[in-house]
Amino acid sequence: MTAQIVEILDAHEIRRTLTRLASQIIEKSGELSQIVLLGIHTRGVPLAHLIAEQITLLEQTSVPVGALDVTFYRDDLDQIGMRTPAKTEIPLDLSGKTVVLVDDVIYKGRTIRAALNAVSDYGRPAEIWLVVLVDRGHRELPIHPDFSGKQLPTSREENVKVYLKEVDGYDAVELITRNTSGDVSE
């Protein structure tokens, strides 16, 4: 099996995209004191921290950031395999707050459905927004991000891989096309 890898975003483009996403959150919120960013493990957590840093730079105010593990809320563990859960860290009661879920890639929507169920265990937010770095389409559930850094139409045979310095040692977003016939995809 061969694979063709195309870099979609480099480190500079990711940082610029995160600045834009932070600006959009600021603009929509109106009141940053009501915002709580929750990153979905694994790469959503550092993305949430990076967005929070940008909000602080732009507005000179900080927003709380937490981490959400959705392993036990998933309905597709039989298909994706069992995972070792990470630690969920919720910085405060979410009741009445605007919770901003942050994830790296949205595909079928199952991770976000699980995240919505998980959030309900920590209070009743006034609103829940979704921020993703990459929206690759192919939803199985009626879930759509409020803010997305990059719309990337893909086929089901393609994969999108996000690398972040905080987790992987470098920043990049790659589109991976697998070709099982042995020929490299064009």
Side-chain angles (χ1 to χ4, degrees), residues 16-149:
R16 189 174 64 227
T17 299
L18 293 175
T19 300
R20 180 173 45 83
L21 291 170
S23 296
Q24 291 173 329
I25 291 168
I26 291 165
E27 185 176 324
K28 184 174 180 178
S29 75
E31 184 54 53
L32 288 173
S33 65
Q34 297 303 305
I35 296 288
V36 179
L37 297 175
L38 290 183
I40 300 172
H41 279 290
T42 296
R43 286 168 185 80
V45 175
L47 286 172
H49 283 283
L50 292 166
I51 290 170
E53 288 173 16
Q54 287 302 311
I55 290 172
T56 300
L57 286 172
L58 295 168
E59 294 294 311
Q60 290 72 53
T61 188
S62 62
V63 294
V65 180
L68 190 64
D69 181 80
V70 300
T71 301
F72 295 120
Y73 295 89
R74 295 193 66 104
D75 65 356
D76 58 354
L77 283 177
D78 59 327
Q79 295 172 14
I80 64 169
M82 191 52 129
R83 300 173 176 188
T84 303
K87 186 173 182 181
T88 292
E89 298 174 2
I90 307 298
L92 48 89
D93 180 12
L94 301 179
S95 296
K97 299 292 186 183
T98 298
V99 172
V100 182
L101 293 174
V102 181
D103 206 4
D104 58 347
V105 178
I106 186 167
Y107 179 36
K108 296 177 180 181
R110 299 223 170 259
T111 299
I112 304 308
R113 187 215 46 85
L116 292 169
N117 288 344
V119 164
S120 69
D121 284 348
Y122 298 97
R124 185 163 189 241
E127 292 182 274
I128 300 176
W129 300 342
L130 175 60
V131 175
V132 297
L133 185 60
V134 179
D135 181 350
R136 63 170 291 195
H138 301 289
R139 228 66 90 237
E140 292 177 355
L141 300 171
I143 294 173
H144 186 77
D146 295 280
F147 311 102
S148 60

